[in-house]
Amino acid sequence: MAYDYSPRTLDRWDYPAQAETYRLKFEHAQQEATHWMRRARAAEAQLTMYQQRERQA
């Protein structure tokens, strides 16, 4: 798809709204990544605990 850089198109473009949308998407992705990193750390800790129990038994 070709980009249209005509003055009419540029005048209609809402740069602040576009920036806000990307900022919100970025923040959401960051929160989602943090959530999954916490889940991974918890699963890793649980696995380590089970492995230690196996060695002791």
Side-chain angles (χ1 to χ4, degrees):
M1 180 179 147
Y3 290 100
D4 183 10
Y5 293 113
S6 65
R8 191 172 131 237
T9 302
L10 292 175
D11 286 342
R12 283 188 315 192
W13 194 256
D14 190 358
Y15 293 101
Q18 194 72 6
E20 179 71 9
T21 300
Y22 281 112
R23 186 182 65 76
L24 290 173
K25 283 182 181 180
F26 172 75
E27 284 179 0
H28 177 72
Q30 219 173 18
Q31 289 170 358
E32 197 174 16
T34 302
H35 167 76
W36 287 112
M37 286 298 291
R38 283 186 184 140
R39 293 279 306 261
R41 272 190 237 117
E44 190 177 20
Q46 196 172 23
L47 178 64
T48 303
M49 182 186 70
Y50 287 139
Q51 287 173 339
Q52 287 173 350
R53 282 187 187 172
E54 283 292 318
R55 284 192 207 114
Q56 290 172 355

